[in-house]
Structure formats: structure tokens, C-alpha cells
Amino acid sequence: MTTPPTLILHHYPSSPFSEKVRLMLGYKNIPWKSVVIPMVSPKPDLIALTGGYRKTPVLQIGADIYCDTALIADVLEHIEPLPALYPEPSKGMARTLAQWADSTLFWASMAYNLQPRGVAQLFEHAPPEAAQAFALDRKAMSAGMARQRPQDAAAAYRSYLRRLSDMLDDRPFLLGDMPCITDFAMYHPLWFTRVRTSVLAGLLDATPAVLDWMDRMAAMGHGAMEKSSAQDAIAVALASTPSALHSDVFQDEHGIALGSEVRVCAETFGQEPTQGELVAATRMHYTLRRTDERAGLVHVHFPRIGYSLQAVAAA
């Protein structure tokens, strides 16, 4: 019998995208190890694994490092296919709605959540400099992005909540009788409002069907979690060998050959690049091979959608 892989989630408690993954792990009943990372830079232990990428969360399986929750969801589905995150026949719709939730819905909700009252609650038990450090860190990560004003975000957010409520008129979850990737992607921004900036959660009261759905989602829990440390996670990577790459067809839109030195970075928020050797470019993801003095040889994986690939000019 094959021993299931040990999953290590690098995250922090108030991260909304981390809550998305934590709930998926609970839904699929996959045991996992928890490494709590800093909310803001510097994140030297995480960078030792990712090579530059510093958004949250990151999933580690041995010497394989998976960035972005869209890719992490696919990995969890491969490890434990049931219950499915992408059930037929609504698989395409579920993915499309999840992408909308992770972008449009997320940014409207966070522009609303991170108005002064929300930030004050988020850091009410932290020293004054913590809120300032968070603001400066997120300003650097969102350089060049258009951000909504809280008033405009509130108007959009209310409209989106009504649309979600309409989807829940005659079913317990957004696309049917069971949750799918759409539910997890739409839940986590609302979770942040309800749990982390609850002083602003009154706008949820206008959509009681959404609140009932949120209760059903929260009831899944986070599954069996064991605390770990960043040092232990790095040691795991150092002692491991990256998994063999699948024989997926190389899909080239850039004219960059496998084996080339490249950089991958997010297209919008958090554009810190990861540099390495391009060893896979499939229909769904990129894989870079890189070596770190602490973590050793690792493969860092990114989804294609939302990320740019550039060749590194020879010195």
C-alpha cells in the first residue's frame, strides 16, 4: 500500500486564501502539517523554498513547492479525487466562477474589509507598528494595481452577495447539492469579513441565505492538522527529491525551450519573481528547477493563468 504524501501548508491564521485551502483539506479529510509564516516580508524561510514568490499560502510536498491556491486545489484533487472539487458536468463553470471569485470578488471584499475600522480590528492586539508594516507591505505588493475606494467596494460587494444569494435559492451549495471549487473560492473573502473584520460584517445580514451557506462551509473544519516549523519543512525539502515530472505535452506560447533559465511572476499582485530552469510547461502549469543552499534541489510549480513567463538573458 502506497504511503500518502505528507502535505505541509505554509500559511498564517488570518490569510483568506489560506482559509480556502484549510477548508479544502478538511473537506477532503487530508492530514496536513502547519507552518505559520510571517504576514509581511521578510520571509526568508519561505523564500528558501519558493525562490522569490512570497504570497500566502504555499503547499509543500517533499521537494515540490506549489504556489497559488488555484494550483493547490488541483494538487489536492489529484491526491484525493473524492469528494470532487470539480464535479461533472459543471466542471468548466466551477473553474470559471472560482477564477472570478479569486479576483473580482476577492478584491472588492478586501477593499471593503481593509477600511480603517477593519484594519483597527485586525491589529487590535498587535503593537502600533504592525499595522503600519502591513500597510507598507501590501502597498509594495500592489504597486501599479487599481484599487477601489471602500465606498465603491461596498456597493459592488453588496451586489455580489445578492447574486450569491440568488444562486442559493433552491440548493445548499452554489452549483448543487455538494460543494465544489466555486464554493471554496467564494467563501474565503466572505470569511474574512465575518471572522477577521467582524465590525464590518453587518452587510452580510441582508443575505441570510449566504450566511446559512457560510455556516455549512465552516462546519467542514480544517481536518487533522499537526504543527511544524519552518526549519523542519526546509529539512524535509533538503532530504527529498522532487517528484518525477509527468509526460505531459510541452505547450509553448513563448518560444522558450525547456532547460532555459526563466523567471515566473504574478501578473498583478505580488510580482516578486522566481528564477530557475524551466523543466515543464504544460497546459495547466509551469515548473522551475532551482537550488537553494538551505533547501537543496526543489521544483517550484505555478499555474499558467495569472502568471507571466520570461526568459533570462544570458550574462
Side-chain angles (χ1 to χ4, degrees):
M1 184 175 180
T2 303
T3 303
T6 299
L7 276 63
I8 304 172
L9 186 67
H10 299 259
H11 68 125
Y12 58 85
S14 62
S15 160
F17 277 101
S18 295
E19 182 64 11
K20 175 185 174 184
V21 175
R22 292 186 294 250
L23 267 190
M24 289 191 291
L25 288 164
Y27 180 56
K28 286 182 171 289
N29 195 29
I30 301 174
W32 57 287
K33 290 188 175 183
S34 166
V35 173
V36 174
I37 64 176
M39 186 183 293
V40 300
S41 284
K43 302 181 181 183
D45 295 325
L46 183 68
I47 299 305
L49 297 169
T50 68
Y53 180 90
R54 68 177 183 92
K55 294 197 290 184
T56 309
V58 167
L59 179 68
Q60 175 189 354
I61 304 177
D64 286 277
I65 313 301
Y66 299 94
C67 303
D68 196 287
T69 61
L71 177 56
I72 292 172
D74 288 344
V75 173
L76 298 184
E77 189 83 341
H78 176 75
I79 292 170
E80 183 52 73
L82 295 175
L85 295 174
Y86 309 102
E88 298 290 1
S90 57
K91 180 178 179 179
M93 181 184 296
R95 283 190 182 275
T96 301
L97 289 172
Q99 185 180 347
W100 174 86
D102 283 342
S103 52
T104 302
L105 175 63
F106 174 81
W107 286 114
S109 73
M110 296 309 288
Y112 173 79
N113 295 331
L114 296 181
Q115 59 185 282
R117 281 200 300 150
V119 172
Q121 182 182 22
L122 192 61
F123 292 98
E124 62 183 341
H125 301 301
E129 58 269 21
Q132 182 179 11
F134 177 81
L136 291 173
D137 184 79
R138 293 310 190 263
K139 182 178 180 180
M141 291 183 76
S142 58
M145 285 182 61
R147 301 294 294 271
Q148 287 179 295
R149 297 181 306 160
Q151 301 91 333
D152 296 326
Y157 199 8
R158 291 180 191 276
S159 293
Y160 298 153
L161 289 169
R162 288 194 294 271
R163 295 177 191 179
L164 266 65
S165 183
D166 288 342
M167 295 173 71
L168 295 162
D169 276 346
D170 56 358
R171 50 197 172 195
F173 296 99
L174 292 170
L175 295 184
D177 292 333
M178 298 293 289
C180 66
I181 190 62
T182 300
D183 294 272
F184 294 96
M186 293 200 184
Y187 173 80
H188 70 92
L190 280 60
W191 166 85
F192 194 93
T193 305
R194 193 182 195 187
V195 175
R196 297 300 178 184
T197 57
S198 58
V199 294
L200 302 172
L203 88 170
L204 296 169
D205 294 339
T207 50
V210 172
L211 288 172
D212 291 343
W213 163 76
M214 292 184 71
D215 289 341
R216 290 190 287 274
M217 293 295 294
M220 297 175 196
H222 297 160
M225 182 272 286
E226 177 185 341
K227 292 182 180 180
S228 188
S229 69
Q231 291 72 30
D232 286 346
I234 291 171
V236 167
L238 183 60
S240 303
T241 300
S243 297
L245 295 168
H246 299 296
S247 57
D248 293 337
V249 174
F250 173 54
Q251 183 166 317
D252 174 33
E253 290 89 6
H254 300 80
I256 300 174
L258 289 179
S260 301
E261 191 74 6
V262 298
R263 291 191 185 97
V264 171
C265 66
E267 292 174 345
T268 53
F269 182 73
Q271 295 182 329
E272 292 83 2
T274 291
Q275 183 170 325
E277 177 191 355
L278 181 66
V279 292
T282 71
R283 182 175 59 88
M284 298 290 287
H285 70 274
Y286 301 118
T287 299
L288 305 190
R289 177 181 290 138
R290 57 178 306 278
T291 302
D292 179 84
E293 61 181 13
R294 297 170 63 198
L297 178 67
V298 297
H299 283 175
V300 188
H301 308 269
F302 297 89
R304 275 184 176 254
I305 294 176
Y307 289 81
S308 65
L309 175 73
Q310 292 183 321
V312 175

